[in-house]
Amino acid sequence: MAKEEDKKKSGEWREFFWNPRTHELLGRTASSWGLILLFYLVFYTFLAGMFCLTMYVMLLTLDDYKPTWQDRLATPGLMIRPKGSSMEIQYSKQNTESWDKYVKTLNSFLTPYDNSQQVMNNDPCTPDKYFIQEDSGSVRNNPKRSCQFNRTVLGDCDGLTDPNYGYRDGKPCIFIKLNRVIGMLPGKDGQSPYVTCGAKRYKVGEDEWREDSELLGDMAYFPSNASFNLMYYPYYGKKAQVNYSQPLVAVKFLNLTLNTDVNVECKINSNTISDFSERDKFAGRVSFKLRIED
């Protein structure tokens, strides 16, 4: 009896898969399968067409050279080179390999700032004045020109007078740059934004704060006014301003205390930038740690 029931169920499954009497496959005839496949073909073709149309209309609203919507911070960020590991620069003066990696990073970073490259690609501009390059109505003024930033303005940190950037002598150069923001005008009344560096306050207890002022020593800035000159602004974007050279400020630490951690904070100062968020440690400032072993 059990064998007959198993045989009957097996026959029912075979008949459901293919019924030779009605010519049905999985319960549907050929015409039924044709109609349902045609329905889904039309349905998914319609969905694909709607998606493509939506993307096309959206792309029509975009500008290849300037963001249609620019939701940026009121205060641009600062960044340093070399960055080191987790914004920590540590090395030993006696161990060449420990600081040579920083020298190689800076050599690569400053290559586009070679005077010969700048003369070939960029223009000499009028200092302390915005380099405005407006479009003529619907006619774009592209590609836009860029101002020269020659590495020789970096003085003792240009890598030419001292190919080791001071690292061998325990007097390292740190390069600071202001993050690019399209259309930003970082100063007014001919006053360029400038950088100041100092000891960073940090918490060591529940109600106790400390800063490393006595460990920081003296510093030298290059250029001497530590400014990002107005002639490098506004920035028009990577596609419109292909040869743009981001201005730099170099800070040389002249007598840093050795064999200890020194926490440093550099900050942008401008008469148009005043909001510094405590939640964003890179908004208008950058913090890093230096440790040089004797």
Side-chain angles (χ1 to χ4, degrees):
M1 179 70 77
K3 291 183 179 180
E4 291 180 359
E5 289 181 357
D6 291 342
K7 186 177 181 180
K8 183 178 180 181
K9 290 180 180 179
S10 177
E12 290 176 351
W13 275 107
R14 284 197 299 269
E15 187 172 308
F16 172 74
F17 183 78
W18 170 249
N19 191 327
R21 292 180 290 100
T22 60
H23 296 88
E24 292 179 348
L25 177 66
L26 298 176
R28 290 184 178 275
T29 62
S31 59
S32 177
W33 277 113
L35 288 173
I36 197 169
L37 290 175
L38 178 62
F39 168 77
Y40 281 111
L41 176 64
V42 174
F43 177 68
Y44 285 114
T45 300
F46 173 77
L47 288 182
M50 286 293 295
F51 174 77
C52 292
L53 179 62
T54 302
M55 291 297 295
Y56 174 74
V57 172
M58 185 190 71
L59 291 174
L60 289 178
T61 66
L62 301 181
D63 192 314
D64 290 339
Y65 297 94
K66 183 179 180 180
T68 303
W69 305 104
Q70 193 169 343
D71 183 17
R72 65 175 177 84
L73 293 173
T75 306
L78 289 179
M79 186 48 66
I80 63 169
R81 290 293 186 274
K83 292 190 296 184
S85 175
S86 302
M87 306 298 285
E88 297 182 5
I89 300 172
Q90 305 181 41
Y91 69 92
S92 170
K93 290 168 56 178
Q94 305 301 323
N95 184 357
T96 303
E97 292 184 359
S98 68
W99 51 262
D100 188 57
K101 59 184 179 181
Y102 298 126
V103 171
K104 290 179 179 178
T105 297
L106 292 178
N107 284 337
S108 177
F109 176 65
L110 290 177
T111 296
Y113 293 95
D114 287 342
N115 289 17
S116 59
Q117 292 289 323
Q118 291 295 312
V119 170
M120 181 172 58
N121 296 326
N122 296 332
D123 299 343
C125 298
T126 304
D128 304 323
K129 181 180 179 181
Y130 286 126
F131 190 26
I132 304 294
Q133 302 174 75
E134 297 288 355
D135 296 329
S136 300
S138 60
V139 180
R140 294 190 180 278
N141 179 21
N142 291 329
K144 299 185 186 297
R145 295 171 295 156
S146 301
C147 295
Q148 294 179 12
F149 186 93
N150 298 317
R151 65 187 295 175
T152 50
V153 305
L154 298 172
D156 292 345
C157 292
D158 62 5
L160 303 175
T161 54
D162 178 8
N164 298 310
Y165 302 95
Y167 283 79
R168 181 177 61 182
D169 303 322
K171 301 177 181 180
C173 290
I174 303 297
F175 295 83
I176 302 171
K177 59 180 184 175
L178 185 65
N179 289 350
R180 302 181 186 187
V181 178
I182 294 178
M184 181 182 68
L185 301 176
K188 62 181 180 180
D189 301 327
Q191 181 179 333
S192 300
Y194 63 96
V195 172
T196 53
C197 295
K200 176 180 173 58
R201 295 180 70 243
Y202 57 95
K203 201 170 186 178
V204 294
E206 185 174 349
D207 298 313
E208 184 181 357
W209 291 82
R210 182 184 300 170
E211 63 180 37
D212 300 328
S213 300
E214 70 283 359
L215 304 176
L216 190 58
D218 298 323
M219 295 172 288
Y221 295 94
F222 305 96
S224 58
N225 60 3
S227 70
F228 301 111
N229 200 281
L230 296 181
M231 66 181 176
Y232 299 105
Y233 303 96
Y235 171 59
Y236 289 98
K238 187 175 182 179
K239 191 170 183 180
Q241 210 168 4
V242 294
N243 292 323
Y244 180 74
S245 295
Q246 198 166 358
L248 306 172
V249 170
V251 185
K252 188 178 182 70
F253 296 88
L254 302 176
N255 48 4
L256 202 70
T257 302
L258 304 180
N259 306 313
T260 188
D261 292 343
V262 181
N263 294 279
V264 184
E265 181 177 77
C266 295
K267 180 180 178 182
I268 189 69
N269 301 272
S270 169
N271 54 14
T272 61
I273 301 174
S274 58
D275 296 328
F276 295 94
S277 172
E278 292 298 327
R279 297 181 179 180
D280 189 348
K281 62 181 181 180
F282 293 107
R285 59 193 172 189
V286 61
S287 301
F288 54 96
K289 183 186 293 185
L290 293 172
R291 184 183 181 91
I292 304 175
E293 302 288 346
D294 197 358

